Amino acid sequence: MTERAQWLCELAGGVSALAGLVVVGAAFWGALGAGLALLVAAVPLIVAGNLRRGDS
C-alpha cells in the first residue's frame, strides 16, 4: 500500500469515527430531551392527581 493510500484510509477512518460520534451524540441529546419533556409533562399531572385525591 502506498503512503498516499494509507493516509487516505486513515482519513476515511477518522471521518467515519467523527460521524459516528455525531450520531451517538444526537441520539443521546434526543433521548435526554424526550425524557425531560416527559418529566415536564408528568409533574403537572401528578400534582393535579394529588390535588384531586385531597378533595375527596
Side-chain angles (χ1 to χ4, degrees):
M1 181 181 290
T2 66
E3 188 175 331
R4 185 173 186 159
Q6 184 176 358
W7 178 83
L8 192 61
C9 288
E10 289 175 2
L11 180 65
V15 168
S16 66
L18 183 63
L21 285 175
V22 168
V23 168
V24 168
F28 173 74
W29 285 112
L32 185 64
L36 288 175
L38 286 173
L39 184 63
V40 167
V43 168
L45 293 173
I46 292 171
V47 170
N50 286 335
L51 290 176
R52 282 191 167 256
R53 189 178 330 157
D55 287 342
S56 42

